[in-house]
Amino acid sequence: MEYLTSNPSETKKIGEKLAKKILHFGKPSKPGQAQYRARRMRDSAFVLGLVGELGGGKTTFLQGFAKGLGIKEKILSPSFVIMKRFDIKHKTPTPFKAFYHIDCYRIEKVKEILNLDFKEIISNPQNIVAIEWADRLWKILPKDTLVLEFEFKNRSKRKVKIRNIPLWISTLDKNS
Ligand code: ADP
Ligand code: MG
């Protein structure tokens, strides 16, 4: 799935929509629905891997994503902090309790991340984990990581490509 955005708000909007879909994991749904099956099968964190050049819109996207999770705090480029944790307290029922924003831009060795209890964080089904510069950690990411690629088109246009998107997420309309 590919989206072309013309400004930061559109990129945020896609992030917000995706977050809302992911939260719906927690909504009671009838057995037999794809959503129900996906929820039953989940036994680790929901992991998003964001890749693409500097200024591609990864952090901007996550600002919208956090908004969609109901997080009020501001999501910043964590240049000096590798990892930040936010509580998820959403009005709709959701099995997710925490959102982790990880930025691997400054890490040199995978070990630096492992030292931060990374394995525990990604194995907890109550966590949603978004990782900028995820390509630096491919080896240790779960196979079902949702991969988002950000491409710089020009000053105000970006392309966001979502790979291996599960069926239950389907389309994310940036205009509605
Ligand atoms: P990254 O985290 O990938 O390095 P950021 O989200 O921090 O990227 O930066 C993206 C920059 O590009 C921001 O300054 C943002 O305002 C600007 N920008 C311009 N157009 C867009 C767009 N269509 N989508 C996202 N960001 C955009
Ligand atoms: Mg960033």
Side-chain angles (χ1 to χ4, degrees):
M1 196 118 36
E2 268 183 29
Y3 300 94
L4 199 62
T5 67
S6 309
N7 55 57
S9 323
E10 284 185 5
T11 300
K12 285 180 195 167
K13 196 80 199 171
I14 295 172
E16 189 180 340
K17 296 234 163 182
L18 178 64
K20 286 182 174 160
K21 295 249 176 162
I22 293 170
L23 277 180
H24 280 176
F25 258 159
K27 259 201 177 163
S29 51
K30 292 192 187 81
Q33 289 179 348
Q35 209 176 309
Y36 177 88
R37 284 199 301 273
R39 180 159 57 92
R40 294 251 321 203
M41 276 155 54
R42 179 146 296 282
D43 58 358
S44 58
F46 193 101
V47 183
L48 295 92
L50 293 82
V51 299
E53 60 218 299
L54 203 63
K58 301 181 290 299
T59 304
T60 303
F61 179 92
L62 291 179
Q63 286 167 348
F65 187 83
K67 186 180 172 209
L69 295 180
I71 291 166
K72 301 277 187 295
E73 293 117 292
K74 208 166 161 38
I75 301 289
L76 304 166
S77 248
S79 315
F80 299 100
V81 194
I82 296 179
M83 179 159 83
K84 198 162 165 24
R85 181 194 184 279
F86 301 88
D87 279 334
I88 297 176
K89 295 189 197 108
H90 206 267
K91 42 189 185 303
T92 56
T94 168
F96 297 111
K97 296 207 160 46
F99 170 57
Y100 285 85
H101 179 199
I102 298 177
D103 193 323
C104 297
Y105 186 54
R106 280 171 202 279
I107 74 150
E108 279 164 14
K109 294 199 183 92
V110 167
K111 200 154 180 273
E112 293 172 52
I113 278 286
L114 291 174
N115 288 343
L116 301 169
D117 292 331
F118 184 75
K119 287 268 153 112
E120 264 172 70
I121 291 165
I122 59 167
S123 57
N124 183 344
Q126 296 184 330
N127 293 337
I128 296 175
V129 185
I131 307 163
E132 295 191 42
W133 300 94
D135 37 335
R136 303 192 176 180
L137 301 181
W138 279 149
K139 282 182 285 184
I140 59 168
L141 291 185
K143 279 198 190 67
D144 61 354
T145 295
L146 193 66
V147 180
L148 295 101
E149 295 174 1
F150 292 79
E151 206 180 298
F152 192 102
K153 288 290 181 196
N154 63 32
R155 202 176 54 81
S156 60
K157 282 198 167 50
R158 303 288 186 276
K159 189 159 91 182
V160 186
K161 194 188 265 180
I162 310 184
R163 294 205 184 272
N164 62 356
I165 192 155
L167 269 176
W168 55 268
I169 292 181
S170 69
T171 54
L172 309 163
D173 186 355
K174 67 177 189 233
N175 298 315
S176 66

